[in-house]
Amino acid sequence: MVTLTIDGVEVSVERGSSILEAAQKAGIGIPTLCHDKRLIAYGACRLCMVEVTARGRTRTMPACFNPARDGMEVATQSPKLTESRRKQLMLLLRSHPLLCPSCDACGDCQLQNLVHEFEILELPFSRETRHFHVDNASHFIRFNMNLCIKCGMCVRICDEIQGENELSFVERGMECEVSTDFGRPLNCEFCGQCATICPVGAISSKWLVGTGREFELKKTNTVCAFCSLGCSLTLGEKAKKVVYVTAPADSPNEGNLCVKGRYGWPYVYSEERLSKPLIRKNGSLQEVDWNEALSFVADRFKNIKAGSGGQSLAALGSDRLTNEEAYVFNRFVRTVLETPHLDRAAGFTYRGLTDGVEPMLGYPAGTNSIREIRDSKVILLVGADLTETHPVAKNEVIVATARHRARVIVIDAIQTKLTYRPGMHLATSPGSEYLILNAMLKWVLDEGRFDKTALALRADGLDELAASLEAYTADKVAELTGVPAALITQAAEEYVNAPTATIVLTQGMNRIGFNVEIAQAAVNLALVTGRIGKSSCGVHIFGEKANSQGAIDMGLGPELLPGFLRISDEASRAKFEKAWDDALPATAGLSAREILSGDGGIKGLYVIAENPVDTYPDRATVQKSLSDLEFLVVQDMFLTSTAKMAHAVLPVASFMEKTGTFTSAERLVQRLHPTFRSPSVKTDLEIFVALAAVMGKPSMTYSGPEQVMNEIAGLVDTYAGISYDRLAEGPIPWPCVDSEDPGKPVLYEGGFPRGKAQLAPAPNPAALAVDDLPFYLVSGILKFHSGSFSQWSPSLMEVCPDGLAEMHRNDLKALDLKEGDTVRLSTGDGASIQLNVSWSRRALQGTVIVPEHSSQVKLNTLLSWAKPVVKVRVEKV
Amino acid sequence: MKERDDILKRKVQKVEVVPPEELAKLDEIIDRYEGRPSYLIPALKDAQEMFGYLPMEVQRKLASGLNIPSSHVYGVVTFYSFFTIEPRGRHTLRLCLGTACYVKGSKDILDIIVKEVGINVGETSEDGRFSLEAVRCLGACGLAPVMLIGEDTHGNMDPKDTTKILEGYQ
């Protein structure tokens, strides 16, 4: 720590902090135009000049990149400094157009604010006019380089945070502008970071043009509903409609967002969104009012229950429900429908978490917080294409590699963008990632590169693990996977030698099998090398949807009760029977796979915010079993492929219109705050409560989400200290045991809940049984789409309208295919789909990547539960 | 807004197409500098010597070969006047218009070139023979007025000799 005095205020900061950071800590404002805490200091605007007295000498220097030193005396205000800042601003205004009244940044312009603050009333310099044209050619983003003040923040955020390097300064002097090469339209992630960081209006979001200015918008902070990272959003509302989305700078995501978060939300105002309940009358879905729809659903459920018992009903919840809704839904299914058959349709991840991680460590969750990844020296990405699946987490990898010289080890069947960062790519065949992890661990054990005594104190089962790894020699795994043995041992060596190392899994997002094996292998490796319970280490598991973690916490699984309790355990069941004042089914129910297999004896199904027809393997089986149902209710915002088959469709509120909490992949519990909601729209929670009342369980009533959260806090240990009052002050990472507990960003720091962790023995290494066909089918994810919402978002569909099969250049050449040709992909079973093909850098030779989001592509026709890895034939049509 | 866009037209950039077999020659340069992104400027210089100019394909190929973002390559190319995106003439005339040369009559030389060759500063003659550049100082004020043609230096020039000197470069 160093101590210095700023304007008479004494302040201590960490060594290496800048004078500006010290001043911010002391609460003293220094004007800046080119500084952002996410970026490396640049020193372009010269507004942060301060007078520093050290060792008897006074000098003027920029505060942003000069480090604070012991005993410095800093003056941030003096007549000389004010004059210098005024001159600087006058020079900037020399070529900055003064069309402020028509500028979209008006009110949100840092230059405007500073000119106002420094009372610049006249411009002594002759004006210079720039003649750039306004560039509207890119999606979402508009360039007006006449306004640019050349702070370089857009160029730097694109490079330092996003790793895209799409923008650069081109030309020189007065001709200088921020542009792409040859002025082409943007072809990037479209994260919009450049537009939000621009201190003036030179780069702006097109939608804001003429729509609303900062001071006209009513702002609401909430949480993004796309992926599981839980980024904070600020919704800007004008005339009861959200017109703009950005992120607060002091949020966990530090103001970063991806294209879905920033530009994907217009699905909320999609014309195709359902506004009234639909029920099937005379073979077609017709609009009815809420009372009719609810009594229709209640009657049909009651009839089935009366006829063949609760066991013939089933329910599929969703990772998109808030914690409160998931909890109430769990209660609804088990006490009102009286069935044990409750699962979640998508989110195959959770088997990896509940069956893989939980028995080993204690909690079915990722161990560390996302922001710790940036301080990790080795990042092991196992089947994790973060650029496409979780772009904001990818930013952490970019910061780690670019700023902190970290190395990235990618184990993936896709040549992801992160393979171009420093590090190595172990290009394995799909489904064999866990073999490589196990081979790495075997090398660590053989070489004795771990602290045996420390491990013995923390975990059991080393001998069994070592015995089970006997066959995992690097050579054997090299033979099975095609990855050179030397590369495997090098990866293991780098992982072990690094002072901090993180493993990231997004497993379950784009594959069906091996979730448990991958999770176990990752946790074994991290445990043995002592990377559990330490900051910037651990195992991250990123789920697909906003509340993937919360849905597990709230027990949306056939064997689960809220708080990771098992329904088969008598004490746990008794606890909830008492709380819910009702008997609970004593055995685990059918899983989603069994519910949809058609032979579970299910007659009525209640599907919440999910679309099994498009997302589940064995499309034909799913469709058949859904059409065989006596009664299918779908509760969703849109008429999805599943909803089209339903007997009743109940429309729901979007995340922008409801209150509740989401739990992110880093276990952060965060509040959703609603914007305007039309009175006819109901939330999922309101529907559950209303249905319960109609079905004769009026005792299941809640005044609102806050009451539900209080009930959760009373019953679920990890949420015990969480309340809406505390969440108003900021997000809390569970476990949070009482009202004083700040929560734990790093799990297992003080030991494991069961005292010791348990190492899991590895399965026998075996080659996968695959069909003898030429191409591996890899279901890929695109950053523009997550499936359920994104396809209804006109903005995202504009950037990425079609699902294309991506193939390697050489494969295209060998098959005599050109970009845009239509191909047929067929499996050994004869299932096939047709789509257009495109060249891609992502695809390795011998693989074809097909996006899984697209309901037009129908990728799940080719997937099957029985075969976790699919090979296909590719033919030109 | 539309009107403003129309008025403030950006200058159109001509992009020449380089055939793939020509482009393959770049591999040698890429091999030479691979893995050393700080050698971008020497690599661009070599490429310009090879092609005479740096069209889009050349820049993009160098960018991907050296693992440098193509926007960055373009930024460097447009920053230095040495690099050119459009084809140059066989001979580049670099006429000094710095103070010393100017007072010794380099403006007259410029007028003669503009009249005789028919090109202005920054342009290339239609027959591809000359490109004309005006420079601020060549560091040879003792030889004022001075002009570089390709690698040759012509000092103490008399404006009357201009045409004769140019005739030596076909």
Side-chain angles (χ1 to χ4, degrees):
Chain A
M1 297 294 270
V2 293
T3 307
L4 64 162
T5 321
I6 302 176
D7 289 350
V9 181
E10 200 175 88
V11 59
S12 294
V13 288
E14 267 175 50
R15 191 167 291 280
S17 306
S18 66
I19 299 173
L20 182 64
E21 282 162 341
Q24 279 162 350
K25 194 174 172 193
I28 296 163
I30 297 177
T32 59
L33 271 177
C34 70
H35 181 80
D36 187 283
K37 69 172 179 183
R38 287 170 284 177
L39 302 176
I40 299 170
Y42 195 56
C45 72
R46 315 313 272 187
L47 287 177
C48 66
M49 299 299 277
V50 288
E51 281 176 0
V52 176
T53 311
R55 295 194 209 103
R57 276 208 312 163
T58 301
R59 287 186 301 167
T60 315
M61 56 173 77
C64 65
F65 65 69
N66 277 295
R69 291 190 207 286
D70 255 330
M72 266 184 172
E73 276 176 41
V74 180
T76 66
Q77 307 286 343
S78 78
K80 196 172 137 201
L81 290 173
T82 307
E83 194 45 36
S84 134
R85 285 170 189 157
R86 282 172 57 89
K87 276 272 152 56
Q88 208 61 41
L89 289 168
M90 286 173 189
L91 286 166
L92 283 174
L93 287 179
R94 201 176 152 241
S95 57
H96 186 88
L98 300 177
L99 274 171
C100 299
S102 74
C103 182
D104 307 303
C106 182
D108 191 25
C109 173
Q110 291 174 41
L111 181 62
Q112 196 184 46
N113 295 346
L114 287 171
V115 167
H116 178 254
E117 184 187 329
F118 283 89
E119 294 177 39
I120 294 171
L121 304 174
E122 52 198 30
L123 299 173
F125 305 120
S126 62
R127 288 194 61 71
E128 199 149 5
T129 314
R130 291 179 286 186
H131 294 284
F132 296 112
H133 86 155
V134 179
D135 183 355
N136 272 316
S138 302
H139 292 295
F140 306 133
I141 290 161
R142 184 178 87 147
F143 292 89
N144 181 356
M145 281 301 140
N146 298 313
L147 299 170
C148 179
I149 57 165
K150 300 184 184 76
C151 64
M153 288 212 276
C154 49
V155 176
R156 287 182 286 146
I157 200 161
C158 198
D159 169 20
E160 293 170 22
I161 305 295
Q162 295 302 126
E164 277 284 298
N165 280 302
E166 188 71 354
L167 296 173
S168 177
F169 281 116
V170 303
E171 300 285 352
R172 194 167 22 132
M174 282 299 286
E175 300 281 300
C176 178
E177 61 171 321
V178 170
S179 174
T180 56
D181 47 317
F182 294 87
R184 64 174 164 80
L186 291 176
N187 176 23
C188 58
E189 294 180 2
F190 296 104
C191 57
Q193 301 266 63
C194 50
T196 36
I197 205 167
C198 183
V200 292
I203 307 182
S204 52
S205 287
K206 269 195 213 171
W207 298 345
L208 262 190
V209 176
T211 0
R213 287 179 290 181
E214 217 253 351
F215 47 82
E216 297 174 290
L217 304 177
K218 179 180 160 235
K219 297 198 188 81
T220 312
N221 283 348
T222 191
V223 186
C224 181
F226 277 103
C227 79
S228 63
L229 297 185
C231 297
S232 299
L233 302 180
T234 303
L235 311 177
E237 201 179 351
K238 187 181 171 187
K240 297 185 174 176
K241 209 170 165 182
V242 171
V243 294
Y244 184 56
V245 168
T246 185
D250 54 354
S251 58
N253 43 313
E254 300 180 337
N256 296 325
L257 285 181
C258 71
V259 58
K260 281 182 292 194
R262 204 184 298 279
Y263 297 120
W265 50 271
Y267 70 85
V268 172
Y269 303 111
S270 164
E271 282 176 8
E272 289 157 291
R273 188 175 158 191
L274 299 173
S275 56
K276 282 188 169 166
L278 306 171
I279 61 175
R280 195 168 290 278
K281 283 182 183 166
N282 308 323
S284 70
L285 287 169
Q286 289 172 9
E287 285 192 357
V288 292
D289 64 24
W290 272 105
N291 287 342
E292 188 179 348
L294 289 174
S295 54
F296 175 75
V297 172
D299 286 348
R300 298 292 295 269
F301 275 144
K302 273 196 282 191
N303 284 348
I304 296 175
K305 209 165 77 176
S308 41
Q311 293 279 345
S312 57
L313 293 174
L316 293 176
S318 168
D319 295 1
R320 271 162 35 190
L321 294 175
T322 62
N323 287 322
E324 292 78 0
E325 289 163 351
Y327 172 85
V328 173
F329 183 58
N330 196 338
R331 178 172 175 188
F332 177 84
V333 173
R334 291 199 159 114
T335 64
V336 181
L337 296 184
E338 294 174 22
T339 174
H341 310 314
L342 166 68
D343 205 352
R344 300 184 281 142
F348 312 114
T349 343
Y350 100 100
R351 283 283 149 201
L353 283 169
T354 53
D355 296 357
V357 178
E358 191 188 9
M360 300 175 72
L361 298 176
Y363 292 117
T367 58
N368 290 55
S369 72
I370 298 164
R371 263 15 85 174
E372 290 167 39
I373 297 176
R374 68 176 60 167
D375 294 318
S376 204
K377 291 294 175 197
V378 163
I379 302 159
L380 190 58
L381 301 169
V382 186
D385 190 356
L386 294 181
T387 316
E388 308 292 334
T389 58
H390 298 89
V392 176
K394 172 230 37 177
N395 294 353
E396 297 300 315
V397 182
I398 300 290
V399 171
T401 50
R403 217 172 289 181
H404 303 145
R405 292 168 182 270
R407 307 252 307 157
V408 185
I409 303 172
V410 180
I411 304 178
D412 208 321
I414 297 179
Q415 178 99 36
T416 66
K417 259 198 167 169
L418 291 174
T419 58
Y420 299 101
R421 307 302 293 186
M424 58 176 92
H425 180 201
L426 280 62
T428 168
S429 53
S432 58
E433 293 87 353
Y434 77 98
L435 298 176
I436 294 181
L437 287 176
N438 282 335
M440 286 168 65
L441 182 55
K442 159 100 174 137
W443 183 88
V444 172
L445 293 177
D446 286 353
E447 298 281 312
R449 300 285 276 274
F450 66 104
D451 189 341
K452 205 163 181 176
T453 32
L455 180 65
L457 289 172
R458 287 169 65 80
D460 290 328
L462 179 63
D463 296 336
E464 293 88 335
L465 174 65
S468 72
L469 285 174
E470 212 43 56
Y472 281 93
T473 57
D475 291 326
K476 161 99 178 167
V477 171
E479 188 188 309
L480 289 172
T481 60
V483 178
L487 215 51
I488 298 177
T489 50
Q490 196 195 333
E493 192 163 6
E494 284 199 17
Y495 180 83
V496 170
N497 287 346
T500 49
T502 301
I503 303 178
V504 181
L505 316 174
T506 55
Q507 105 235 43
M509 292 211 49
N510 47 357
R511 60 205 76 217
I512 306 157
F514 308 111
N515 299 321
V516 179
E517 287 84 347
I518 293 177
Q520 285 177 341
V523 174
N524 278 338
L525 185 59
L527 263 176
V528 169
T529 51
R531 263 70 186 265
I532 296 284
K534 278 193 194 150
S535 115
S536 300
C537 292
V539 179
H540 291 268
I541 303 182
F542 298 149
E544 185 178 356
K545 306 266 189 240
N547 204 23
S548 289
Q549 182 64 47
I552 298 175
D553 303 346
M554 295 305 127
L556 290 190
E559 79 284 26
L560 295 175
L561 281 169
F564 326 123
L565 299 176
R566 295 298 188 269
I567 200 158
S568 48
D569 177 58
E570 205 160 314
S572 315
R573 206 168 60 241
K575 179 176 173 183
F576 280 90
E577 281 177 341
K578 184 162 169 258
W580 292 347
D581 193 19
D582 229 319
L584 292 177
T587 49
L590 300 177
S591 70
R593 176 187 179 184
E594 290 157 337
I595 292 170
L596 294 170
S597 69
D599 34 67
I602 303 297
K603 291 182 176 161
L605 181 61
Y606 191 7
V607 177
I608 311 292
E610 273 301 344
N611 186 7
V613 172
D614 282 338
T615 56
Y616 238 61
D618 291 324
R619 187 185 180 94
T621 318
V622 171
Q623 268 174 325
K624 165 110 187 18
S625 59
L626 289 180
S627 60
D628 287 350
L629 289 171
E630 269 176 40
F631 188 52
L632 171 64
V633 187
V634 174
Q635 194 162 306
D636 206 322
M637 282 174 67
F638 298 99
L639 200 60
T640 59
S641 314
T642 311
K644 281 179 190 153
M645 303 176 68
H647 300 93
V649 183
L650 306 175
V652 289
S654 71
F655 80 102
M656 285 185 181
E657 295 154 338
K658 63 187 178 187
T659 308
T661 56
F662 280 153
T663 305
S664 72
E666 52 181 343
R667 296 168 281 105
L668 223 45
V669 183
Q670 301 185 87
R671 262 296 296 278
L672 290 170
H673 294 275
T675 57
F676 173 76
R677 165 152 73 106
S678 105
S680 66
V681 178
K682 283 191 191 297
T683 64
D684 292 276
L685 182 64
E686 287 163 357
I687 298 173
F688 298 144
V689 171
L691 261 184
V694 185
M695 290 186 71
K697 280 276 159 79
S699 60
M700 196 189 109
T701 178
Y702 294 96
S703 60
E706 185 160 8
Q707 192 197 345
V708 183
M709 182 44 87
N710 292 340
E711 190 173 312
I712 294 171
L715 288 164
V716 177
D717 298 343
T718 48
Y719 285 70
I722 292 176
S723 66
Y724 275 23
D725 289 341
R726 288 192 70 197
L727 289 176
E729 285 152 32
I732 303 171
W734 69 248
C736 172
V737 290
D738 57 48
S739 57
E740 300 296 312
D741 187 357
K744 289 190 183 63
V746 182
L747 277 180
Y748 318 118
E749 254 179 334
F752 296 93
R754 298 191 199 102
K756 261 180 167 186
Q758 178 69 39
L759 294 162
N764 278 330
L768 266 171
V770 285
D771 295 330
D772 186 22
L773 293 170
F775 291 97
Y776 277 109
L777 177 73
V778 180
S779 43
I781 307 238
L782 295 171
K783 53 187 153 301
F784 303 112
H785 288 288
S786 58
S788 34
F789 289 151
S790 63
Q791 284 200 84
W792 306 95
S793 173
S795 52
L796 295 173
M797 288 308 274
E798 177 196 312
V799 195
C800 179
D802 311 306
L804 300 171
E806 297 172 43
M807 290 178 75
H808 192 268
R809 197 191 280 272
N810 294 354
D811 288 337
L812 287 181
K813 221 181 262 177
L815 290 170
D816 194 25
L817 288 166
K818 283 191 302 294
E819 208 158 314
D821 283 351
T822 309
V823 291
R824 182 191 299 115
L825 310 183
S826 44
T827 62
D829 309 333
S832 72
I833 56 169
Q834 284 193 7
L835 73 169
N836 291 350
V837 75
S838 114
W839 166 72
S840 153
R841 245 173 211 256
R842 289 209 295 163
L844 295 168
Q845 241 170 306
T847 62
V848 47
I849 305 178
V850 181
E852 61 157 24
H853 72 269
S854 175
S855 54
Q856 274 87 46
V857 170
K858 304 185 173 67
L859 170 69
N860 59 342
T861 317
L862 305 182
L863 305 177
S864 130
W865 276 113
K867 270 188 276 175
V869 176
V870 180
K871 287 193 104 174
V872 292
R873 193 182 294 117
V874 179
E875 295 154 310
K876 192 171 176 177
V877 179
Chain B
M1 207 58 84
K2 173 83 170 62
E3 286 149 20
R4 199 163 74 186
D5 287 11
D6 288 343
I7 296 164
L8 306 173
K9 279 264 156 59
R10 184 185 292 207
K11 67 176 177 197
V12 182
Q13 207 132 49
K14 272 187 277 176
V15 179
E16 305 280 323
V17 179
V18 181
E21 58 275 15
E22 288 276 303
L23 215 50
K25 292 198 288 186
L26 268 180
D27 290 336
E28 180 205 328
I29 297 174
I30 291 171
D31 287 346
R32 202 179 310 153
Y33 298 110
E34 205 178 354
R36 293 188 289 175
S38 54
Y39 280 71
L40 173 62
I41 289 176
L44 285 168
K45 183 170 169 285
D46 292 358
Q48 180 154 312
E49 271 166 21
M50 188 178 276
F51 293 93
Y53 67 117
L54 295 166
M56 182 157 72
E57 290 93 335
V58 170
Q59 288 189 32
R60 297 239 165 108
K61 178 149 184 178
L62 266 184
S64 64
L66 300 176
N67 204 4
I68 300 171
S70 41
S71 60
H72 185 69
V73 173
Y74 182 72
V76 170
V77 169
T78 52
F79 183 87
Y80 292 103
S81 63
F82 176 80
F83 297 121
T84 172
I85 294 171
E86 283 157 60
R88 284 222 179 130
R90 291 191 293 284
H91 311 288
T92 306
L93 310 178
R94 292 195 175 90
L95 177 66
C96 180
L97 291 178
T99 314
C101 292
Y102 197 89
V103 297
K104 297 270 270 177
S106 66
K107 185 72 178 32
D108 297 335
I109 303 176
L110 180 68
D111 288 342
I112 292 169
I113 297 173
V114 169
K115 211 166 115 198
E116 294 287 318
V117 187
I119 51 170
N120 221 324
V121 174
E123 290 179 354
T124 301
S125 62
E126 275 180 20
D127 56 2
R129 190 168 149 214
F130 291 118
S131 294
L132 178 59
E133 271 178 28
V135 293
R136 285 296 148 218
C137 184
L138 289 167
C141 304
L143 296 176
V146 65
M147 177 164 74
L148 272 177
I149 305 184
E151 305 271 294
D152 306 341
T153 312
H154 299 267
N156 292 322
M157 275 178 70
D158 187 332
K160 285 191 291 250
D161 298 338
T162 311
T163 325
K164 213 194 288 170
I165 293 171
L166 291 182
E167 271 168 14
Y169 297 89
Q170 288 302 321

